[in-house]
Amino acid sequence: MDDKYEATHDDDLGKGPVVKEANVHSVALTEALEAQKPKLWSRSMIQLYLIMGVGYLVSTLNGYDSSLMGAINAMEGYQKTFGLTGEGSSTGIIFIIYNCGQIAAFPFCGFFADGYGRRVCMFVGCALVIVGTVIQATAHETGQFIGGRFVLGFGASIASAAGPAYTVELAHPAYRGTMAGLYNVCWWLGNILAGWTTYGTNLHFPGSAWAWRVPTITQCLLPGIVMCLVMFFPESPRWLIMKDRREEAIAVLAKYHGEGDRNSPLVELQVREIVEDMSSATDNNPWWQFKELFNTPAARYRLYLVICMAFFGQWSGNNVVSYFMPAMLKSAGILDTNRQLLINAINPIFSMLAAIYGATLLDKLGRRVMLMGGLAGALSSYVLLTAFTAVSAEMPNLAYGTIVAIFLFGVFFAWGWTPLQTLYAVEVLENRTRAKGSGLNFLFLNVAMVVNTYGISVGIAKIGWKLYLVYIVWICVELVTIFFFFVETKGRSLEELSEIFEAKNPRKASTRKVKVAVTENGTVLETES
């Protein structure tokens, strides 16, 4: 609902005085929320925040690895252990094997998330992450280290297939953007934890293998917390209805969305929409079958958006900053390893703060504005980064301009994209295909990362800062694509998005609003469309 309301006292509609007017995307959802306004700090909402907070920790898995590998790649102890230089083909292979593990996990995502539930899927994925971490942390040979990274990536992908789906399906409809958007914000929590751990261990164990082994061992901490708690939490109500466990689903929705009232208008609306959405399917959706992801024009449009988010989220220059910041700083003339690691540890703090602020704006500004705004800022930052890096060799003082540009890029990209990288993909998917689609999202995301990360490693070694010009052009392509094709998901329930994708032009249908009047007794009346 828009924030602009026009106070009136008009009895002409016969439902009592009109107290406000607004332009909304969904009349049904607006009416349900007016009938029972959510209480941000009620006991059930606080419980929901805590449950979702543990679910958010799944997102830290990829964030931790991103910062960890970027940091230990610059450590003398790590390079001596495995005979590496920090750049080139061998380094690229070690980075991308994590992504290869995530790609290999794709066929099993639906098996666990749809077959056994979102909670079991997260539990199994986190267990595999811990196994992979142990293998990696105890490695003395490159082969064992690579094997550990493969298992680690495999487990992270399994957990990540369910984590975003669980949070978006459990989030309160009034605050879905913020509550589910915070999931990927915790990517930065993992990033920060790894950044400061590696900075500290490099100071205390300079040149030693323990400088990289200790932060690798620490990688077990957050998935361990998820494993200990997740099975005590409620299951996704949408998964429960999909498994014909309707009463359990109503109980979950009543507790966390209806303040304990099973007859709450919001609970009844959601149950009705979920049941109707599930009943429209023609088969029982076995875990090994993926045809529902592309068997209709609407399904193909959804899949197109999922694939775009996967590639855009990795090919916007953010991978360069995440994995290769020390190498970027070295290219700009900042050669001290401790200074590189300190900057690597500080940068995510600013990005996480920007991402949290961005998540709070998702239900106000909408998804399209946030995505395009974030890319516009990222584009400006990359132009500055390219300019400063190009001249820093001849004018060393401008190397600090490079640092500023890197920080600005992180802030803009985190503000507009971090909350939406997983949220948008799971929002546009149907209930029955959400887990499989999330797995497919991570498949394409990792394909993008494999190509990107390996290419960056070689590109930085071969052409240095000129690689940044490629990203400047590509970001412009992304902006045009989002403007013309991406739908707006704000202001509708997950099930109401179906009518958007059935429209002739989904993007236009998604931005259309209805003007409503809200009367004194909470009745919502449509005044014009």
Side-chain angles (χ1 to χ4, degrees), residues 26-37:
S26 168
V27 176
L29 181 58
T30 302
E31 189 167 25
L33 293 172
E34 285 294 330
Q36 185 181 41
K37 292 183 173 63

Side-chain angles (χ1 to χ4, degrees), residues 210-281:
W210 285 107
W212 68 266
R213 291 190 195 277
V214 171
T216 303
I217 294 167
T218 308
Q219 200 163 7
C220 290
L221 177 63
L222 297 178
I225 293 173
V226 176
M227 281 185 64
C228 290
L229 297 176
V230 72
M231 296 309 295
F232 296 101
F233 292 162
E235 184 53 85
S236 160
R238 286 168 171 83
W239 182 83
L240 290 170
I241 289 178
M242 186 168 67
K243 295 298 179 180
D244 294 324
R245 294 160 63 177
R246 181 169 173 171
E247 289 303 309
E248 293 176 62
I250 292 173
V252 172
L253 289 171
K255 181 174 182 179
Y256 297 106
H257 295 179
E259 299 294 337
D261 182 7
R262 294 170 62 92
N263 298 315
S264 159
L266 185 58
V267 172
E268 292 182 340
L269 172 67
Q270 289 183 93
V271 172
R272 183 173 66 252
E273 288 184 340
I274 296 169
V275 170
E276 288 175 356
D277 183 62
M278 298 290 185
S279 63
S280 65

Side-chain angles (χ1 to χ4, degrees), residues 29 165 168-171 173 176 238 273 277 302 423 426-431 434 489 492-498 501:
L29 181 58
V168 80
E169 290 173 350
L170 205 57
R176 190 180 73 234
R238 286 168 171 83
E273 288 184 340
D277 183 62
R302 292 175 190 263
L423 169 61
V426 296
E427 277 188 323
V428 299
L429 290 163
E430 295 177 277
N431 288 324
R434 186 163 292 119
T489 61
R492 290 180 172 87
S493 69
L494 294 172
E495 290 69 34
E496 286 175 324
L497 293 173
S498 294
F501 289 101

Side-chain angles (χ1 to χ4, degrees), residues 301 484-485 487 500 502-510 512:
Y301 200 104
F484 286 105
F485 298 104
V487 302
I500 288 175
E502 296 293 341
K504 185 177 180 180
N505 187 325
R507 194 269 299 172
K508 281 187 178 179
S510 73
R512 191 175 299 121

Side-chain angles (χ1 to χ4, degrees), residues 175-477:
Y175 311 111
R176 190 180 73 234
T178 298
M179 292 181 73
L182 285 171
Y183 171 87
N184 207 49
V185 170
C186 284
W187 187 96
W188 288 109
L189 178 62
N191 199 275
I192 290 167
L193 179 60
W196 284 101
T197 304
T198 50
Y199 175 67
T201 56
N202 195 60
L203 283 178
H204 287 86
F205 308 108
S208 167
W210 285 107
W212 68 266
R213 291 190 195 277
V214 171
T216 303
I217 294 167
T218 308
Q219 200 163 7
C220 290
L221 177 63
L222 297 178
I225 293 173
V226 176
M227 281 185 64
C228 290
L229 297 176
V230 72
M231 296 309 295
F232 296 101
F233 292 162
E235 184 53 85
S236 160
R238 286 168 171 83
W239 182 83
L240 290 170
I241 289 178
M242 186 168 67
K243 295 298 179 180
D244 294 324
R245 294 160 63 177
R246 181 169 173 171
E247 289 303 309
E248 293 176 62
I250 292 173
V252 172
L253 289 171
K255 181 174 182 179
Y256 297 106
H257 295 179
E259 299 294 337
D261 182 7
R262 294 170 62 92
N263 298 315
S264 159
L266 185 58
V267 172
E268 292 182 340
L269 172 67
Q270 289 183 93
V271 172
R272 183 173 66 252
E273 288 184 340
I274 296 169
V275 170
E276 288 175 356
D277 183 62
M278 298 290 185
S279 63
S280 65
T282 57
D283 59 43
N284 60 1
N285 190 34
W287 68 268
W288 43 265
Q289 189 178 93
F290 297 89
K291 70 178 183 180
E292 283 192 285
L293 288 167
F294 52 80
N295 63 349
T296 66
R300 288 190 288 273
Y301 200 104
R302 292 175 190 263
L303 184 60
Y304 165 73
L305 295 180
V306 169
I307 294 172
C308 282
M309 283 300 294
F311 280 91
F312 291 2
Q314 299 305 317
W315 285 7
S316 301
N318 48 313
N319 250 14
V320 184
V321 176
S322 296
Y323 277 96
F324 292 93
M325 183 182 285
M328 294 173 74
L329 296 173
K330 183 178 178 181
S331 175
I334 299 170
L335 304 178
D336 180 67
T337 300
N338 281 332
R339 183 174 292 184
Q340 291 174 5
L341 293 177
L342 179 60
I343 294 169
N344 190 60
I346 292 173
N347 181 50
I349 296 175
F350 289 91
S351 296
M352 184 171 182
L353 292 174
I356 291 171
Y357 180 55
T360 65
L361 297 176
L362 285 175
D363 290 320
K364 297 176 182 177
L365 299 181
R367 286 34 163 181
R368 284 165 48 84
V369 170
M370 294 289 291
L371 289 171
M372 290 188 287
L375 283 181
L379 177 63
S380 303
S381 303
Y382 247 89
V383 170
L384 291 174
L385 175 62
T386 305
F388 283 127
T389 307
V391 300
S392 60
E394 297 165 356
M395 305 174 67
N397 288 337
L398 290 180
Y400 292 97
T402 300
I403 298 173
V404 172
I406 289 172
F407 275 56
L408 282 175
F409 173 86
V411 167
F412 282 120
F413 191 82
W415 176 82
W417 273 74
T418 296
L420 283 166
Q421 276 187 283
T422 53
L423 169 61
Y424 191 80
V426 296
E427 277 188 323
V428 299
L429 290 163
E430 295 177 277
N431 288 324
R432 288 165 51 84
T433 60
R434 186 163 292 119
K436 292 176 185 174
S438 293
L440 193 64
N441 178 44
F442 274 91
L443 170 67
F444 284 111
L445 182 148
N446 282 286
V447 168
M449 287 181 71
V450 166
V451 175
N452 204 23
T453 305
Y454 186 77
I456 293 167
S457 183
V458 176
I460 284 182
K462 297 284 187 184
I463 61 174
W465 64 267
K466 295 182 183 68
L467 181 68
Y468 308 155
L469 297 171
V470 176
Y471 290 103
I472 290 174
V473 174
W474 180 249
I475 290 172
C476 293
V477 173

